[in-house]
Amino acid sequence: MPIIMKDYQWTESETRLDLSLPQKGIRSNKIDVMVTNLYVKVNYSPYFFDVHLKHEIDDCKTRVVMADNTITLHLIKEEPILWETLVNPASKDSSKRKELVAAAYKYHEEKVKSDTDKRENVKAEQNKMALRTAMDVDSGEKERIEAVKQAERDKVAKEMDEWQNLDDDEKERQYLKANKTRRQPEDSDTNASEDHTTDDVSNDTTIVSDSEKSKSTVAEENLSHNEADERARKFEKIKHNLANPLKSGKDKTKAEKKPSKEEKPMWETSGPRQQTEITVSFTPRFFPSAARESTAADEEAWFEKNVKAQTVLKAKDADTKEDERNPVWLSDKAGVFYKMGNFPAAINAYSEAIKISPKLPKLYINRASCYIVLNLYDDAVIDCTRALDLLTPPVEANRLSRVRTLAKRGSAFCQLGSLNRALEDYELASKLSPDNEPIKRDLEVLRAQTGDNALLQEQSTITVS
């Protein structure tokens, strides 16, 4: 049940109106504010405030400021006049007020729909503009690539034309020159042994003219036989090492060595196996029963529900202060509300405390008292019954609490017309507390009433027979 806020303040000028409300320690993201041209509503549980304005305002220019535990609404008037009163006099009539509320909500829905359509149209235009720009960039890139390709085609065609216009000797010279630049010497680097260093063997083949061939032949004939033999020997060794890299020098592996005849088999030289322990770990399981395929789906569904419930509880705890999660603090707060006469607020506080600590019987007993004051006798009977269930086992420490609970439930039964049940509760309470005078008086009254009812029923039965 919401609590209507009446402690607000407002000031005005000819063009502006300022409305201030207490924030009451509620976070800004938990406050709902609705403003139309003729209606203002502020809601945060359990408080509620709304007002129908006397004249129209520009709701598009409204500004809401939440600071210093105060909610301030800056409203701009449509006409520069002084209102003198904030509330529309027609809103005092209940039937007119319903019509004004319906009109305000209709105006708000239409405005929200209009703003949504505008945003969607703007977003669609922006998407179209981005697509158009991307298409322009794509077409420009294609034109640039095509221009580069055409330039390459023209360059190749020009070179072909120049090549075809050359004579045969010039073509041969250019061909030989191109091949000479493309061919690179072949170098072979190999580690022959520990005592030999790496030699570079180059075999250069070049197309030369007849005069250059003759010069090369004369130079080779002048080489000594020893140098030629040494060069051939090194070349053959390099070829051998390149063909068998794993068998050169120290690169021979132990796998290639043949076992000697004196080596003994492994089973004769190896000793007995060492004893060891193998630790087997099992996957931890929440349920006491063994895992089965037939129950896997049900277990998974149970885990999903619990995860969702824990997520909701954590989110709710994150949105509340530390004091608001303390059942003792909530119970004391409810007691303050009860003394002030604010019984709905007391019920809300007791209910929040019960959600946090549902095993405290005192919370149910006190909430039942609030229900009785508000004439909610059925709810009072339910809370008293829960409290009695929690006050077990019956010992001396909880005797007075049981007496109080039975008396409250008996009183609620009396108001509901169940005098026999009320008499039972009062008799139990009287046995637990024989010296309690108020309970004795109520018990006597109940016995008299139940006796009169029984006598009337007996007389009616005799009359009918």
Side-chain angles (χ1 to χ4, degrees):
M1 184 175 180
I3 301 173
I4 306 299
M5 285 192 297
K6 297 181 180 180
D7 50 342
Y8 67 90
Q9 297 177 356
W10 69 286
T11 58
E12 69 168 333
S13 63
E14 290 186 354
T15 59
R16 175 172 165 175
L17 186 146
D18 296 333
L19 180 62
S20 299
L21 299 168
Q23 193 170 346
K24 297 184 184 297
I26 304 299
R27 294 186 180 182
S28 301
N29 58 354
K30 297 295 181 182
I31 299 175
D32 179 27
V33 180
M34 171 183 166
V35 179
T36 67
N37 59 340
L38 286 170
Y39 181 69
V40 176
K41 184 192 76 170
V42 179
N43 180 30
Y44 54 91
S45 181
Y47 300 100
F48 179 82
F49 170 81
D50 69 335
V51 61
H52 295 275
L53 302 176
K54 184 177 180 181
H55 299 291
E56 291 188 2
I57 61 170
D58 188 354
D59 53 331
C60 297
K61 298 180 181 179
T62 299
R63 191 163 60 94
V64 181
V65 179
M66 299 182 187
D68 299 331
N69 209 22
T70 304
I71 307 169
T72 306
L73 287 81
H74 301 289
L75 310 176
I76 306 301
K77 297 179 179 180
E78 285 285 356
E79 298 180 1
I81 58 173
L82 293 175
W83 292 4
E84 295 181 357
T85 58
L86 178 67
V87 183
N88 186 356
S91 63
K92 296 180 180 179
D93 187 2
S94 60
S95 60
K96 293 280 186 178
R97 183 181 180 83
K98 291 182 180 179
E99 294 177 0
L100 293 173
V101 170
Y105 275 94
K106 183 178 180 181
Y107 174 87
H108 181 68
E109 291 176 358
E110 292 176 353
K111 186 175 182 300
V112 169
K113 184 179 180 181
S114 176
D115 293 342
T116 304
D117 294 340
K118 287 181 182 179
R119 285 195 295 270
E120 291 178 353
N121 293 334
V122 170
K123 188 175 180 180
E125 290 295 330
Q126 291 176 352
N127 292 337
K128 288 181 181 179
M129 184 63 67
L131 180 60
R132 194 178 298 112
T133 304
M135 292 175 65
D136 294 340
V137 171
D138 192 17
S139 61
E141 186 68 16
K142 286 182 179 179
E143 292 177 359
R144 187 185 68 79
I145 295 172
E146 190 63 31
V148 172
K149 288 182 179 179
Q150 188 62 35
E152 291 294 329
R153 293 194 198 99
D154 296 341
K155 182 179 178 181
V156 173
K158 183 178 179 181
E159 291 177 354
M160 289 296 297
D161 293 339
E162 291 177 354
W163 174 267
Q164 291 177 359
N165 293 332
L166 296 175
D167 54 5
D168 295 338
D169 295 337
E170 184 66 24
K171 288 181 180 179
E172 185 177 359
R173 281 196 296 272
Q174 289 191 6
Y175 177 75
L176 294 175
K177 184 178 179 181
N179 281 345
K180 187 175 180 180
T181 56
R182 291 195 191 106
R183 298 291 298 272
Q184 299 293 334
E186 299 178 356
D187 299 335
S188 301
D189 299 337
T190 311
N191 295 325
S193 64
E194 292 181 353
D195 300 327
H196 296 282
T197 59
T198 306
D199 296 329
D200 297 333
V201 179
S202 303
N203 186 12
D204 300 336
T205 304
T206 310
I207 301 176
V208 295
S209 60
D210 295 337
S211 59
E212 291 175 346
K213 286 182 179 181
S214 62
K215 290 179 182 180
S216 175
T217 305
V218 173
E220 289 180 0
E221 289 176 355
N222 291 333
L223 291 173
S224 63
H225 293 287
N226 294 332
E227 293 177 355
D229 293 341
E230 182 69 18
R231 185 174 181 181
R233 184 177 63 79
K234 290 182 179 181
F235 184 72
E236 290 296 331
K237 195 169 185 178
I238 290 171
K239 287 178 62 179
H240 177 73
N241 291 337
L242 291 174
N244 304 282
L246 296 177
K247 296 181 181 180
S248 62
K250 293 183 177 181
D251 292 336
K252 293 182 178 181
T253 60
K254 296 180 180 179
E256 295 175 349
K257 295 181 180 180
K258 295 182 180 180
S260 61
K261 295 181 179 179
E262 297 179 357
E263 292 182 356
K264 296 181 179 181
M266 184 182 295
W267 58 82
E268 294 184 5
T269 59
S270 61
R273 295 180 181 178
Q274 296 181 356
Q275 184 178 1
T276 184
E277 294 181 358
I278 300 175
T279 303
V280 180
S281 60
F282 298 94
T283 303
R285 178 170 168 77
F286 180 81
F287 298 98
S289 60
R292 294 184 178 87
E293 293 184 0
S294 58
T295 60
D298 296 336
E299 292 176 359
E300 190 68 25
W302 186 88
F303 277 118
E304 290 180 359
K305 290 180 181 179
N306 276 269
V307 168
K308 290 180 180 178
Q310 292 295 330
T311 304
V312 171
L313 289 176
K314 289 181 180 178
K316 187 173 181 180
D317 290 343
D319 294 338
T320 57
K321 297 181 179 179
E322 185 176 357
D323 291 340
E324 296 175 357
R325 297 194 295 270
N326 187 351
V328 177
W329 183 88
L330 289 170
S331 178
D332 295 341
K333 195 70 174 176
V336 173
F337 286 138
Y338 186 88
K339 292 178 182 178
M340 293 172 58
N342 193 352
F343 303 110
I347 290 174
N348 290 336
Y350 282 127
S351 300
E352 291 297 327
I354 289 171
K355 290 179 183 178
I356 299 170
S357 298
K359 300 296 184 181
L360 292 178
K362 178 182 176 182
L363 301 176
Y364 294 100
I365 297 170
N366 293 339
R367 191 171 69 172
S369 301
C370 299
Y371 283 142
I372 290 174
V373 175
L374 295 177
N375 299 331
L376 301 174
Y377 303 113
D378 291 328
D379 295 331
V381 169
I382 293 172
D383 274 3
C384 290
T385 304
R386 290 176 180 172
L388 290 172
D389 293 338
L390 294 173
L391 291 170
T392 53
V395 294
E396 180 62 25
N398 59 21
R399 181 178 61 84
L400 295 179
S401 297
R402 285 183 285 132
V403 170
R404 182 185 173 195
T405 307
L406 289 168
K408 288 184 182 295
R409 191 171 71 172
S411 176
F413 277 137
C414 285
Q415 298 296 331
L416 292 173
S418 300
L419 299 181
N420 293 328
R421 292 185 178 181
L423 182 60
E424 292 175 0
D425 286 344
Y426 270 103
E427 286 178 348
L428 288 174
S430 179
K431 289 180 181 179
L432 293 173
S433 181
D435 298 331
N436 195 320
E437 294 297 331
I439 292 179
K440 285 183 179 180
R441 290 195 298 268
D442 293 341
L443 181 59
E444 292 176 359
V445 173
L446 271 174
R447 285 173 176 171
Q449 290 180 353
T450 52
D452 294 341
N453 291 337
L455 181 60
L456 289 174
Q457 290 178 1
E458 184 180 356
Q459 291 178 355
S460 61
T461 304
I462 294 171
T463 303
V464 171
S465 60

